[in-house]
């Protein structure tokens, strides 16, 4: 059996956000492709223990860095803190590719490989790519990009907030992905970007999230669900839905209810117009209770986890183009979800989903077929990587 080491930028469990769902999914996908997977968790001791407890079949290693940063990284962080959003929008202060890299992790990974002799080492996010630099040609090196980070700050400036995460320049991102033999992108458009970024010098594969095939029964009540963590893009999406969509839908379907699950519910006040479910450890019970899911995202990168998750539960979902990025181009008229290209379409399609049981039944059946085809493509691609290393 081939051995793979995943170097994670955070804990994987509990699986409470998109990046953790991504990493957990990828571990299971590699296992289905015939790999024994070990994991390195950095800095988060509590998250490490949670991951050990919830992933007992995997060997988990902990690395606690001294958290020291280079003088340049510290100066850039101080500048971002001091500068206003307007100033940053004009004079951006991007991260260098290794600014967020845990000090000494590259040596730790190299020593671990020396003992375990991995066939593959994969890093989660391009800013962790320095972990690959002290490995020889005897190991296949992979960067799982998850997102495009070039110019990512612009998305936050348009919302009037400072970006909390990593963003960089095209040249720095290129430096990171060229450290690998394979580059994984989470959806098709991003694969095209990374192929151009590397000038065709690296193998770029579209590897999305592996999904459980939906087996829950259709629910015919009139509950609408939005799920999200409490970050800027989710708050923007929720506010857009509440201000421009939900009132119009509720007027025409007065017995409909709107539930908000996840920490994003903390961003809105109590109201009789909706129910704040809040954070829950297991979303499966919430999904069972609802008829339709919404993903009204106006911005974002990577794979739309909310949409993928709803498909995995067999739930009809109404999504904006941003909420279906990387998925809606599977066909001009997608069958597994309802694509809304503007506010009016969103209102009308959500009302249709609430009122028409036939639509719900058809989409549920299409979700099952979509997930089966989607999983099959992912697994075949990953098997080609695993077997191609022989």
């Amino acid at each position: 059996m081939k051995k793979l080491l995943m170097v994670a930028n955070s804990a994987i469990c509990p699986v409470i956000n998109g990046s953790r769902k991504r990493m957990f999914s990828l571990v299971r996908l590699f296992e289905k492709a015939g790999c024994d997977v070990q994991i390195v968790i950095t800095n988060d001791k509590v998250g490490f223990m949670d991951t050990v407890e919830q992933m007992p079949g995997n060997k988990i290693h902990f690395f606690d860095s001294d958290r020291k940063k280079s003088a340049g990284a510290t100066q850039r962080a101080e500048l971002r803190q001091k500068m206003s959003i307007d100033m940053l929008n004009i004079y951006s202060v991007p991260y260098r590719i290794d600014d967020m890299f845990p000090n000494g992790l590259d040596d730790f990974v190299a020593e671990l490989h020396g003992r375990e002799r991995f066939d593959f080492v994969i890093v989660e996010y391009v800013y962790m790519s320095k972990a690959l630099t002290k490995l020889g040609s005897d190991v296949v090196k992979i960067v799982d990009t998850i997102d495009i980070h070039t110019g990512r700050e612009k998305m936050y400036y348009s919302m009037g907030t400072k970006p909390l995460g990593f963003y960089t320049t095209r040249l720095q991102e290129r430096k990171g992905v060229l450290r690998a033999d394979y580059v994984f992108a989470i959806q098709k458009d991003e694969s095209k970007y990374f192929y151009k970024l590397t000038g065709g010098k690296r193998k770029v594969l579209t590897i999305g999230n592996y999904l459980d095939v939906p087996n829950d029964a259709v629910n015919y009540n009139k509950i609408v669900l939005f799920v999200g963590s409490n970050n800027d893009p989710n708050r923007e999406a929720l506010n857009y839905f509440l201000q421009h969509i939900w009132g119009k839908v509720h007027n025409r379907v007065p017995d409909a209810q709107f539930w908000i699950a996840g920490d994003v519910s903390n961003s809105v006040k109590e109201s009789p117009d909706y129910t704040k479910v809040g954070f829950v450890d297991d979303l499966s019970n919430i999904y069972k209770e609802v008829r339709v899911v919404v993903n009204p995202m106006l911005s974002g990168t990577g794979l739309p986890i909310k949409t993928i998750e709803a498909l995995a539960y067999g739930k009809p979902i109404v999504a904006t183009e941003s909420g279906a990025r990387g998925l809606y181009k599977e066909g001009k008229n997608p069958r597994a979800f309802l694509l809304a290209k503007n506010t009016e379409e969103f209102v009308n399609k959500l009302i249709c989903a609430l009122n028409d049981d036939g639509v719900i039944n058809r989409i549920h059946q299409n979700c099952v077929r979509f997930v089966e085809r989607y999983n099959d493509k992912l697994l075949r691609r990953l098997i080609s990587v695993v077997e191609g290393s022989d």
Side-chain angles (χ1 to χ4, degrees):
M1 180 178 283
K2 298 293 181 67
K3 295 176 68 173
L4 177 137
L5 178 68
M6 172 180 283
V7 183
N9 72 305
S10 71
I12 299 178
C13 297
V15 185
I16 56 174
N17 57 38
S19 64
R20 293 187 181 198
K21 289 173 184 175
R22 166 61 174 180
M23 291 186 284
F24 186 87
S25 165
L26 201 53
V27 169
R28 298 299 178 236
L29 188 58
F30 267 109
E31 289 173 340
K32 288 180 180 292
C35 288
D36 173 62
V37 179
Q38 298 185 29
I39 302 165
V40 173
I41 303 293
T42 64
N43 293 330
D44 182 357
K45 189 68 174 180
V46 173
F48 162 73
M49 292 187 291
D50 286 338
T51 305
V52 170
E53 180 181 344
Q54 296 177 40
M55 300 181 73
N58 302 99
K59 188 174 181 180
I60 317 292
H61 309 272
F62 181 68
F63 176 75
D64 193 6
S65 77
D66 58 17
R67 316 229 177 167
K68 290 180 181 178
K69 301 296 180 185
S70 68
T74 301
Q75 290 170 357
R76 286 186 285 276
E78 290 173 351
L79 271 176
R80 292 185 207 102
Q81 183 67 30
K82 292 176 182 177
M83 292 172 68
S84 67
I85 294 171
D86 289 339
M87 286 295 292
L88 283 168
N89 201 12
I90 298 171
Y91 304 104
S92 181
V93 186
Y95 289 79
R96 299 288 178 88
I97 193 63
D98 299 326
D99 279 359
M100 292 180 63
F101 186 76
N103 192 37
L105 178 60
D106 48 346
D107 291 320
F108 180 84
V109 170
E111 291 170 7
L112 191 59
H113 172 56
R115 296 197 305 270
E116 299 283 346
R117 307 314 302 174
F118 297 107
D119 298 284
F120 309 92
V121 174
I122 183 169
V123 297
E124 299 302 306
Y125 288 105
V126 69
Y127 54 79
M128 297 291 283
S129 60
K130 189 178 178 183
L132 304 174
T133 58
K134 294 186 178 179
L135 301 173
S137 58
D138 60 325
V139 60
V140 177
K141 296 174 277 292
I142 306 169
V143 168
D144 182 32
T145 57
I146 305 181
D147 275 323
I148 294 173
H149 290 94
T150 298
R152 194 169 184 267
E153 71 276 16
K154 299 295 182 182
M155 174 180 71
Y156 289 89
Y157 297 152
S158 68
M159 293 184 282
T161 63
K162 287 186 177 182
L164 297 177
F166 180 82
Y167 59 92
T168 191
T169 65
R170 186 178 177 87
L171 286 176
Q172 287 291 302
E173 190 159 44
R174 185 175 188 272
K175 177 181 177 181
V177 294
L178 286 177
R179 289 166 167 168
D181 303 303
Y182 284 89
V183 178
F184 287 179
I186 207 164
Q187 45 105 325
K188 285 183 177 180
D189 289 343
E190 297 195 359
S191 288
K192 294 176 183 176
Y193 167 82
F194 286 110
Y195 183 79
K196 291 180 180 178
L197 187 68
T198 64
K201 294 180 179 179
R202 295 295 182 271
K203 298 173 183 177
V204 180
L205 295 178
T206 304
I207 304 291
N209 286 10
Y210 196 84
L211 309 171
D212 292 326
V213 177
N215 55 17
D216 289 341
V218 176
N219 197 318
Y220 295 106
N221 63 28
K222 296 198 175 177
I223 299 175
V224 178
L225 175 68
F226 177 76
V227 181
S229 54
N230 195 7
N231 59 39
D232 290 319
N234 283 337
R235 288 192 291 269
E236 177 191 45
L238 178 58
N239 288 331
Y240 163 66
F241 183 80
L242 290 173
Q243 292 176 18
H244 301 286
I245 296 170
W246 180 238
K248 296 175 183 178
V249 172
H250 203 217
N251 284 339
R252 292 166 61 181
V253 191
D255 56 338
Q257 301 176 49
F258 180 44
W259 289 6
I260 307 169
D263 289 337
V264 72
S265 62
N266 296 325
S267 70
V268 293
K269 297 178 181 178
E270 298 288 343
S271 171
D273 296 331
Y274 47 78
T275 299
K276 295 171 58 174
V277 177
F279 173 77
V280 290
D281 288 324
D282 184 2
L283 283 170
S284 61
N285 291 328
I286 299 297
Y287 276 102
K288 288 177 182 178
E289 295 295 322
V290 306
R291 178 185 180 103
V292 61
V293 179
V294 292
N295 188 356
M297 300 298 289
L298 300 178
S299 56
T301 57
L303 192 69
I305 300 298
K306 295 177 188 60
T307 303
I308 284 289
E309 190 169 70
L311 291 170
Y313 283 104
K315 291 297 177 180
I317 183 163
V318 184
T320 58
E321 289 185 291
S322 180
R325 60 190 178 274
L327 295 176
Y328 72 91
K329 289 182 180 178
E330 300 286 340
K332 292 183 179 179
N333 297 301
R335 296 179 180 180
F337 56 92
L338 298 171
L339 177 65
K341 296 183 179 180
N342 53 54
T343 302
E344 183 179 3
E345 272 195 15
F346 206 115
V347 170
N348 291 335
K349 290 188 175 183
L350 181 52
I351 290 170
C352 177
L354 286 167
N355 287 334
D356 193 329
D357 291 348
V359 168
I360 298 297
N361 288 327
R362 185 175 69 251
I363 292 179
H364 176 79
Q365 294 168 3
N366 290 338
C367 282
V368 174
R369 288 192 286 269
F370 177 91
V371 169
E372 288 174 340
R373 292 195 301 269
Y374 185 83
N375 284 346
D376 182 63
K377 289 180 181 178
L378 291 185
L379 189 54
R380 283 191 282 111
R381 284 179 193 145
L382 206 60
I383 288 173
S384 73
V385 175
V386 173
E387 293 183 347
S389 66
D390 290 328

